[in-house]
Amino acid sequence: MTEAAPQPGPLARREGVSLWRQIQLALEGEIAAGRWGPGARLPTEAELTARFGVNRHTVRRAMEELEARGLVRVEQGRGSFVAEDVLDYRLGPRTRFSENIRRQNREPEGRLIRVAEMPAEASLAEALGIRRGRPVIVAERLALANGRPVVLGTHHFPAARFGRLPELLAANPSITAALAACGVPDYRRQVTRITARLPTPEEAELLQQSRNRPVLVTEAVNTDPQGAVVDVTIARYAAGRVQLVVES
Amino acid sequence: MTEAAPQPGPLARREGVSLWRQIQLALEGEIAAGRWGPGARLPTEAELTARFGVNRHTVRRAMEELEARGLVRVEQGRGSFVAEDVLDYRLGPRTRFSENIRRQNREPEGRLIRVAEMPAEASLAEALGIRRGRPVIVAERLALANGRPVVLGTHHFPAARFGRLPELLAANPSITAALAACGVPDYRRQVTRITARLPTPEEAELLQQSRNRPVLVTEAVNTDPQGAVVDVTIARYAAGRVQLVVES
DNA sequence: GACGACTAGTCGTCTAGACAAATTTCGGAC
DNA sequence: GTCCGAAATTTGTCTAGACGACTAGTCGTC
């Protein structure tokens, strides 16, 4: 790493632009210019500290920003790396994870995180069209593309109709397959609500993503061909790795 | 503010959970519990520092997290405040800002930030169906509901067909009205791409939102009834104030 | 009463230093 | 050669202190 640092020279102090932002912009530009390719390792904090002539905390503030923007990935004990490319994820009435991923020439994979049965609280019961307090099966599932976590979904099924789901999912973590085995060969997505926020620590952990990087949160309702509600799903996408696509 | 701080007592040190996260969780819980109503002012950093018995920087780290999650709003020189409620914004083939806002019983408003004409770069030209380098009208528009900024849109129109747009928009910042005056009485949205990231300083400024809070970014293409591309729009929504709704 | 300067309160940035936690490296034992 | 453990490297958290920037009020002058 004896490569000379690109010029624009020293930072402007007392000019109305904070030092950490100048550092952020400098690195952002160099990444955009391709100085380091996707996945490549960036200089360590110590090196950047020396290069810019500031305190380590100031460099860290800039890195936090870059990480939150999805441009770099920071790993404790390893270093910082330029982020990789993003995946298109189509949202539509017939959204299916595996198809979606395969269409982009990647290998889909599903991991069941946990399954539980619990009473439905008010708003969930209403969405599912059951009485409040009736049992609901809650399944948490992590979906990956080429081994990289993409989305964490929490599915809620009425237990009365889908009591066999836990065992089915344990054997094969495909929602579509499990529903088919329960007599629902097809289902359609009705509404999707989308928002963005920062992940909880557990979400960040499962999605292998920084806590400072947003997740796209979608809430959807699926119904069977007869119009009965099959499940309510809340999914959290690693915003840096996915782009949702809605076709009208 | 002589009100006693709620119990759970002192923070657990050296227990594997960082102090700032414990503080964040404590405040998050109290906000959820309704200790302070929406819009209410939170204790100052100095007060929180005293209450939790930590350094001010540690309290600040917790506040950053809460702000990024959209739970509080921090204003320099004034204090921190509990965030207010969110708006539903429907995305569909006939998405129109004003209708969308009025449906929620709020008052829509549009402000033209700037209009310019510039040559189309490659990917934009392709999306618009024109040659690279041909002139494009770029209009930046801030849309508000009840006086609060909701979305910042950057619209790109082929100048050959919509040369009158700048003057029209200057007189009335409604896109729909301006297009109607140019002979496009109706238009439909084709695809929408959705991602999330942190805002640039300018976006944060215009949306009156913190830099630590994500924006939902949508990219859409609108066509006229004959199928010709009318415009390409990139919109940035204040994620804490809006929820996108997709109906399938 | 209107305006402006001043001041206190509050958040924003930067520096400095220490230690913890996670990862990688490397040498020695076998 | 392989495995284990210590050491080095690198990022994460916390404390401490200083000063800048912005806000809102106070008080004096005109």
Side-chain angles (χ1 to χ4, degrees):
Chain A
M1 194 54 59
T2 44
E3 185 185 350
Q7 17 4 73
L11 303 179
R13 290 181 185 247
R14 308 288 160 104
E15 297 284 340
V17 181
S18 55
L19 297 179
W20 68 261
R21 181 159 294 284
Q22 294 180 57
I23 295 171
Q24 177 215 321
L25 291 172
L27 295 175
E28 205 170 305
E30 290 173 37
I31 289 171
R35 179 171 182 201
W36 305 285
R41 188 171 176 196
L42 293 174
T44 66
E45 293 178 353
E47 286 165 337
L48 292 172
T49 293
R51 166 177 164 194
F52 290 106
V54 297
N55 190 276
R56 178 173 159 232
H57 292 300
T58 308
V59 167
R60 278 177 65 73
R61 182 70 187 84
M63 294 300 285
E64 271 174 33
E65 197 76 6
L66 288 172
E67 181 172 37
R69 291 280 196 89
L71 285 165
V72 309
R73 177 170 40 90
V74 180
E75 295 182 33
Q76 181 171 357
R78 304 210 334 120
S80 306
F81 306 84
V82 177
E84 288 106 67
D85 60 334
V86 307
L87 195 74
D88 273 14
Y89 192 90
R90 291 201 202 180
L91 288 187
R94 291 204 23 123
T95 298
R96 302 286 187 274
F97 178 76
S98 301
E99 291 176 24
N100 233 324
I101 299 308
R102 263 193 268 270
R103 183 169 22 214
Q104 310 243 337
N105 299 318
R106 317 227 182 170
E107 193 49 34
E109 180 191 343
R111 280 187 211 149
L112 194 63
I113 306 296
R114 68 170 147 251
V115 194
E117 192 171 314
M118 51 178 63
E121 50 77 28
S123 64
L124 176 60
E126 190 188 2
L128 282 174
I130 60 177
R131 293 236 182 79
R132 185 169 55 161
R134 300 303 289 276
V136 169
I137 292 169
V138 180
E140 200 135 315
R141 180 172 168 274
L142 183 68
L144 308 88
N146 280 0
R148 292 173 59 78
V150 169
V151 51
L152 177 64
T154 305
H155 304 259
H156 306 82
F157 308 89
R161 186 172 176 195
F162 299 104
R164 287 173 52 222
L165 267 182
E167 9 172 343
L168 290 168
L169 285 173
N172 174 1
S174 161
I175 302 286
T176 306
L179 286 176
C182 287
V184 180
D186 191 26
Y187 57 90
R188 289 176 63 89
R189 178 180 283 230
Q190 300 296 347
V191 217
T192 307
R193 283 190 185 66
I194 306 169
T195 115
R197 60 167 169 77
L198 288 205
T200 65
E202 197 197 355
E203 288 165 352
E205 164 78 22
L206 287 167
L207 288 171
Q208 283 176 33
Q209 154 176 320
S210 152
R211 285 194 308 265
N212 297 317
R213 227 157 120 178
V215 286
L216 279 162
V217 183
T218 66
E219 192 184 323
V221 177
N222 285 308
T223 57
D224 66 16
Q226 285 72 48
V229 176
V230 168
D231 85 309
V232 171
T233 300
I234 293 174
R236 285 135 296 179
Y237 297 81
R241 299 205 268 274
V242 194
Q243 187 172 35
L244 302 180
V245 179
V246 178
E247 305 186 62
S248 305
Chain B
M1 195 52 58
T2 46
E3 185 185 348
Q7 17 18 65
L11 303 179
R13 288 179 185 250
R14 309 288 160 101
E15 297 284 340
V17 181
S18 56
L19 296 179
W20 66 262
R21 182 158 294 284
Q22 293 180 57
I23 295 171
Q24 176 215 322
L25 292 172
L27 294 175
E28 203 170 307
E30 290 172 36
I31 289 171
R35 180 172 182 199
W36 305 285
R41 187 170 177 199
L42 293 173
T44 67
E45 293 177 353
E47 286 166 337
L48 291 172
T49 293
R51 167 178 162 192
F52 290 106
V54 297
N55 190 275
R56 179 175 158 232
H57 292 300
T58 309
V59 166
R60 278 177 65 73
R61 182 70 188 85
M63 294 300 285
E64 270 174 34
E65 196 77 8
L66 288 172
E67 183 172 36
R69 292 280 195 88
L71 286 164
V72 309
R73 178 169 39 90
V74 180
E75 295 182 34
Q76 181 172 358
R78 303 208 335 119
S80 306
F81 306 84
V82 177
E84 286 105 68
D85 60 334
V86 307
L87 195 74
D88 272 15
Y89 192 90
R90 292 201 203 179
L91 288 188
R94 292 204 23 120
T95 298
R96 301 289 186 273
F97 178 77
S98 301
E99 291 174 24
N100 233 324
I101 299 307
R102 265 194 267 271
R103 183 169 23 215
Q104 309 242 340
N105 298 316
R106 317 227 183 170
E107 193 49 33
E109 182 192 341
R111 280 188 210 148
L112 194 63
I113 305 296
R114 69 170 146 251
V115 194
E117 194 172 311
M118 52 178 65
E121 49 78 27
S123 63
L124 176 61
E126 189 187 3
L128 282 174
I130 60 177
R131 292 235 182 78
R132 188 170 52 160
R134 302 304 290 274
V136 170
I137 291 168
V138 180
E140 200 134 316
R141 180 173 169 273
L142 182 68
L144 310 87
N146 281 358
R148 291 171 59 77
V150 169
V151 51
L152 177 64
T154 305
H155 304 259
H156 305 81
F157 309 89
R161 185 171 175 197
F162 299 104
R164 288 173 51 222
L165 267 183
E167 8 172 343
L168 289 167
L169 285 173
N172 175 2
S174 161
I175 302 287
T176 307
L179 286 176
C182 287
V184 180
D186 191 25
Y187 57 91
R188 290 175 62 90
R189 178 180 284 230
Q190 300 297 347
V191 217
T192 307
R193 283 188 185 63
I194 307 169
T195 111
R197 60 166 168 78
L198 287 205
T200 66
E202 197 197 355
E203 288 165 351
E205 165 77 22
L206 286 167
L207 288 171
Q208 282 175 34
Q209 154 178 318
S210 152
R211 283 196 308 265
N212 296 318
R213 227 157 120 176
V215 285
L216 279 162
V217 183
T218 67
E219 192 183 325
V221 176
N222 285 308
T223 57
D224 67 15
Q226 285 72 47
V229 176
V230 168
D231 85 310
V232 171
T233 300
I234 293 174
R236 286 135 295 180
Y237 298 81
R241 300 204 267 275
V242 194
Q243 188 172 33
L244 302 180
V245 179
V246 178
E247 305 185 63
S248 304

